[in-house]
Amino acid sequence: RRITRVWTKTMNAQRLEAMQQLLLQQQGKTIVEFKAGKLNKSGTTVTADPRRGTLSLVESAADGMTRIQWKTRPGGQMETDLVVVPTDATVEKVPECKSGRVFLIRMRSSNRMLFFWMQEPKEEKDDELIEKMKTAFATSRSGGSGGLMGAAAGSGAAGATGGGGAVGM
């Protein structure tokens, strides 16, 4: 009987989490979405998280807020969901990384840095995707202050070079 109760609670928690993720995904317009991994920053070095993922910029239907979302792939488990303050975010390639296609999202007001690495098969699309992010950040209508708001699982730093290499910064 106790096993049945524990199993029921676990299943209910999993269903609730799945419903919450589904609602987050349905609550807005996707501005740009592509395959990207996360990088974890430690001191002046960033190291690749080997998992596959999807990075999205989403405009909320309810309030027009722009969100940065990173989900695992496959499975779609939301790990990062952050609100961007208008014109506070910038995005740029990381030229110091010679072994991968790394880019940085930086929040001016908080000096927070999120690193990602491109997992899209066609490298020639990288510049186009980065330009779409720059445009979205420049025209963001989010409210609030301080760079980013919201919850992020893990360190808050984001993705590197496909094979788990490290980059000094």
Side-chain angles (χ1 to χ4, degrees), residues 80-163:
T80 303
D81 184 21
L82 303 166
V83 175
V84 181
V85 173
T87 67
D88 188 52
T90 61
V91 62
E92 60 197 71
K93 286 184 177 181
V94 178
E96 294 86 353
C97 178
K98 304 296 183 203
S99 60
R101 297 150 48 206
V102 175
F103 64 97
L104 161 67
I105 298 175
R106 182 188 314 259
M107 304 310 131
R108 290 183 187 116
S109 63
S110 65
N111 223 15
R112 186 166 184 185
M113 296 183 289
L114 304 167
F115 291 89
F116 296 90
W117 58 282
M118 293 286 192
Q119 294 179 333
E120 287 291 337
K122 296 183 179 180
E123 189 171 342
E124 55 272 7
K125 294 272 188 180
D126 292 1
D127 289 336
E128 178 184 336
L129 294 169
I130 288 174
E131 282 305 313
K132 284 183 180 180
M133 287 190 291
K134 284 181 180 180
T135 300
F137 291 146
T139 59
S140 174
R141 297 181 302 188
S142 301
S145 63
L148 289 176
M149 300 174 286
S155 69
T161 70

Side-chain angles (χ1 to χ4, degrees), residues 9 27 41 69 78-79 81 90 96 104 146 158 168-169:
K9 284 182 181 179
Q27 291 180 350
K41 186 174 187 284
Q69 298 178 337
M78 182 86 63
E79 284 203 13
D81 184 21
T90 61
E96 294 86 353
L104 161 67
M169 301 305 289

Side-chain angles (χ1 to χ4, degrees), residues 34-38 52-55 70 103 116-119:
F34 54 92
K35 297 172 186 172
K38 294 171 58 171
R52 296 182 301 163
T54 302
L55 181 67
W70 187 83
F103 64 97
F116 296 90
W117 58 282
M118 293 286 192
Q119 294 179 333

Side-chain angles (χ1 to χ4, degrees), residues 18-38:
M19 287 173 37
Q20 288 171 335
Q21 287 183 8
L22 183 62
L23 284 173
L24 279 174
Q25 292 170 0
Q26 293 177 345
Q27 291 180 350
K29 176 183 105 179
T30 300
I31 300 166
V32 62
E33 181 175 82
F34 54 92
K35 297 172 186 172
K38 294 171 58 171

